[in-house]
Amino acid sequence: MQQQQHQHPHQHPHSAHPRGSRPALPGGRRPTARRLTAVLAAIAATAGLGCLAAPGAQAADNPYERGPAPTNTSIEAPRGPYAVSETTVSRAVVTGFGGGTVYYPTSTADGTFGAVVISPGYTGTQSSIAWLGPRLASQGFVVFTIDTLTTLDQPDSRGRQLLAALDHLTERSTVRGRVDSSRLGVMGHSMGGGGSLEAAKSRPGLQAAIPLTPWNLDKSWPELSTPTLIVGADGDTVAPVASHAEPFYTGLPSSLDRAYLELNNATHFSPNSSNTTIAKYSVSWLKRFIDNDTRYEQFLCPLPRPSLTIEEYRGNCPHGS
């Protein structure tokens, strides 16, 4: 049973045998040095087998887990453990969106990766969200930052374009072999954030959605079944949190894995440049829900407390998906 929580600022030593004695074996016999050596060797061999089995058992529990165990330092770093390559997707060779850039882990040693497509906002191009490409890809995702058909496209159109880009990525792109098409998510800034809500509404099978300072005329989203992290900004005058991000969050089903992160001392355009707080919680959310990697639950639950960069954080803990 999930519990709704709300954080707000206005809210063994070894035992020793007597010297010269040895523990008795069954039947009251005292072990010889040779017997002790054989017993210790057997114990060591058994322990070694246990250690060898553990990683395999863990991998069997979650075959989608990628990368080393995370720390606060690793998820706040400008780059994660994977080297990243990129490829340009020309507007001329796609339909339904305006092309873009795919960032992906260079190595194929770990198999396939989950993927996320990111839309810019009103009047914006992919350059405004480009920093997220290598930042997220280096943590173990294929990331597609896109251009829209026109810079004036509304959220419903941006939602359809996010889905068209996902389809291109998984079905026709040159990196489709690196993508697990069952593990997909969407992100977007401003009207692109509103578009990510539209995309999740249209395609319930998506694993994660992260609207960044989102804008949309539709305020309630009871249809969504995709785990959603909404990021607002306390100083947003374009899409004020009181009329956009907050009602979007409260309009999601209360049973859904959902969270609301309000950035402190931030503006509507904070997602347009490198931002450690956005990156940290985006990585954690995508890992937790696209990769089902519970190693990242520690950064989401207990709920993060208000800080120099966090004005407020609400959410459901623990997560159930």
Side-chain angles (χ1 to χ4, degrees), residues 5 24 48 73 76 92 108 116 144 149 156 168 184 207 255 260 270 275 316:
Q5 300 183 33
T73 300
E76 291 180 354
T108 59
V116 58
F144 196 1
L149 294 172
D156 58 344
H168 176 84
L184 305 175
Q207 302 296 305
S255 59
Y260 172 72
S270 292
N275 185 296
N316 292 35

Side-chain angles (χ1 to χ4, degrees), residues 187-199:
M187 296 178 66
H189 171 239
S190 191
M191 283 194 181
S196 68
L197 291 167
E198 300 280 1

Side-chain angles (χ1 to χ4, degrees), residues 8 20 24 28 34 47 78 81 132 136 153 168 174 179 191 198 220 253 257 272 284-285 289 292 316:
H8 194 280
R34 183 176 297 174
L132 282 162
L136 298 180
D153 293 333
H168 176 84
T174 58
V179 179
M191 283 194 181
E198 300 280 1
S220 184
D257 284 318
N272 291 154
S284 298
W285 196 263
F289 294 106
N292 192 33
N316 292 35

Side-chain angles (χ1 to χ4, degrees), residues 18-137:
R19 180 176 298 178
S21 71
R22 293 191 183 108
L25 291 174
R29 293 178 292 116
R30 299 286 175 184
T32 64
R34 183 176 297 174
R35 284 199 188 100
L36 278 175
T37 301
V39 170
L40 291 173
I43 292 171
T46 302
L49 287 173
C51 292
L52 287 172
Q58 185 178 12
D61 288 342
N62 181 16
Y64 307 130
E65 188 177 286
R66 298 290 182 268
T71 64
N72 259 305
T73 300
S74 74
I75 61 174
E76 291 180 354
R79 290 294 180 272
Y82 291 94
V84 173
S85 299
E86 62 182 270
T87 183
T88 300
V89 179
S90 169
R91 174 186 294 262
V93 301
V94 301
T95 57
F97 66 106
T101 305
V102 181
Y103 304 85
Y104 57 94
T106 304
S107 172
T108 59
D110 286 348
T112 57
F113 295 91
V116 58
V117 175
I118 311 175
S119 167
Y122 188 71
T123 74
T125 65
Q126 63 166 311
S127 63
S128 66
I129 50 168
W131 71 274
L132 282 162
R135 184 118 182 202
L136 298 180

Side-chain angles (χ1 to χ4, degrees), residues 13 64 67 121 125 150 172-173 205 209-210 213 224 272 275 287 292 304:
Y64 307 130
T125 65
T150 82
R172 295 178 294 279
S173 75
I210 306 180
T213 59
L224 261 66
N272 291 154
N275 185 296
K287 285 284 191 177
N292 192 33

